[in-house]
Amino acid sequence: MTNQNYPIDLTDSQWQLIKDFIPPEKPGGRHPELDMRQVLNAIFYLVDNGNKWRSLPHDFPKWPSVYHYFRPWRQDGTWQRIHDTLRSQLRQQSGRHKHATAGCLDSQSVKSASLPGVRGFDAHKNVNGRKRHILVDTLGLLLLVVVTAASVQDRDGAKLLMRRLRGAGKKLRRIWVDGAYRGELLNWAAVHCRAILQPVLRSDQKKGFIVLPRRWVVERTFSWFNHARRLSKDYEVLTSSSEARIYIAMTRLMLRRLASG
């Protein structure tokens, strides 16, 4: 466990797991030779501690150099590809097939910072900000996330999410949801995604907090987000940056599990 300045820094075993997934430098132009391990450490540090780019500690590469990698990887889907590859490895390490056949879908409304960008008001949760629509497997590992204005209805957000399902959802056949996803969406999902949406409803006879079957898995995933301070609310101008930060936080979680397995 060498070359660690901060607890969030990659250990040697974690670096071995991720280093081959880093895209090579594109030909043309001149870029300084950077230690890519330190670039990743800086990005993980930002997500974990929630500070601004310009507040990056000086023992990391300069923040414009780090951002030089974060931005194009956000635009070309590199963060999601790295995340998805590690998720497949972790599922196989847990004795599961790399492609999930069942999952759980839910949304989380969070306040947004006073920055330009998409936002709205969720009257049900009384939150002015954005909404994270996520689909997880039965282990709670993230399959896909879509960030919208908080005013977007859960059913509409679910359609946006399922339209993006590609390789991660090609074997997905059953998805547990709450009561907000009933109605026409059930037939839409069966026709367009060949997936059965199965509502898990709370009993009207029971009072207080109740752990609902299957749905607790996605609630636990939302609690994992809270471990990263950058995800405590939405601080991003672009929703694509919000999604990238979530993939990065989950990538860090999976690296820890894979390295300790």
Side-chain angles (χ1 to χ4, degrees):
M1 195 179 294
T2 59
N3 301 322
Q4 279 196 292
N5 294 323
Y6 300 94
I8 198 66
D9 285 357
L10 293 167
T11 64
D12 291 341
S13 56
Q14 291 166 358
W15 170 242
Q16 292 300 319
L17 287 167
I18 198 174
K19 67 176 185 178
D20 293 335
F21 306 140
I22 297 174
E25 189 72 39
K26 293 182 180 179
R30 291 188 58 189
H31 298 293
E33 289 293 329
L34 293 178
D35 182 349
M36 291 307 300
R37 179 171 175 174
Q38 282 296 88
V39 170
L40 287 179
N41 283 339
I43 293 171
F44 289 140
Y45 181 93
L46 285 165
V47 173
D48 188 68
N49 289 275
N51 55 307
K52 300 177 181 179
W53 284 105
R54 288 171 176 79
S55 300
L56 194 66
H58 295 301
D59 41 2
F60 288 120
K62 293 181 179 180
W63 77 263
S65 299
V66 178
Y67 188 74
H68 165 78
Y69 290 95
F70 170 80
R71 182 175 180 272
W73 292 1
R74 177 199 67 202
Q75 293 174 320
D76 64 15
T78 294
W79 290 117
Q80 185 176 354
R81 285 194 295 273
I82 292 174
H83 167 275
D84 290 352
T85 303
L86 293 175
R87 185 194 61 238
S88 297
Q89 292 182 4
L90 186 54
R91 283 184 57 83
Q92 291 175 316
Q93 181 176 289
S94 302
R96 310 294 183 92
H97 191 277
K98 67 178 182 178
H99 295 299
T101 58
C104 191
L105 173 66
D106 206 351
S107 68
Q108 178 191 49
S109 295
V110 293
K111 295 179 179 179
S112 58
S114 299
L115 294 170
V118 174
R119 71 176 67 194
F121 184 72
D122 182 346
H124 179 65
K125 299 290 181 64
N126 197 28
V127 170
N128 184 25
R130 289 178 176 169
K131 186 176 286 187
R132 299 162 177 165
H133 308 268
I134 71 168
L135 175 64
V136 302
D137 65 11
T138 53
L139 298 175
L141 301 178
L142 186 66
L143 296 175
L144 192 64
V145 57
V146 172
V147 176
T148 66
S151 55
V152 173
Q153 295 294 320
D154 288 348
R155 291 186 292 272
D156 296 331
K159 288 183 180 180
L160 287 172
L161 185 146
M162 287 189 281
R163 285 191 183 105
R164 291 194 194 178
L165 275 177
R166 293 181 180 86
K170 66 181 181 181
K171 290 185 176 293
L172 205 58
R173 294 297 175 263
R174 186 175 298 275
I175 303 174
W176 289 282
V177 296
D178 66 20
Y181 297 92
R182 288 179 292 179
E184 178 269 338
L185 179 64
L186 302 182
N187 293 329
W188 185 93
V191 172
H192 291 83
C193 303
R194 296 184 300 167
I196 297 172
L197 296 189
Q198 182 173 328
V200 179
L201 305 178
R202 175 192 172 101
S203 172
D204 293 334
Q205 273 117 37
K206 294 184 179 179
K207 305 296 183 182
F209 174 76
I210 300 170
V211 177
L212 295 175
R214 303 296 182 179
R215 274 176 50 190
W216 67 269
V217 175
V218 69
E219 297 296 342
R220 183 181 60 181
T221 305
F222 284 133
S223 73
W224 290 342
F225 291 174
N226 293 333
H227 295 170
R229 291 185 178 179
R230 188 82 178 202
L231 303 184
S232 61
K233 61 192 296 188
D234 198 309
Y235 293 99
E236 315 304 329
V237 174
L238 302 176
T239 56
S240 58
S241 291
S242 303
E243 294 165 3
R245 301 283 189 184
I246 292 172
Y247 285 123
I248 291 168
M250 290 299 293
T251 293
R252 191 71 187 88
L253 180 147
M254 292 188 295
L255 282 172
R256 290 196 296 268
R257 293 188 179 184
L258 284 167
S260 63

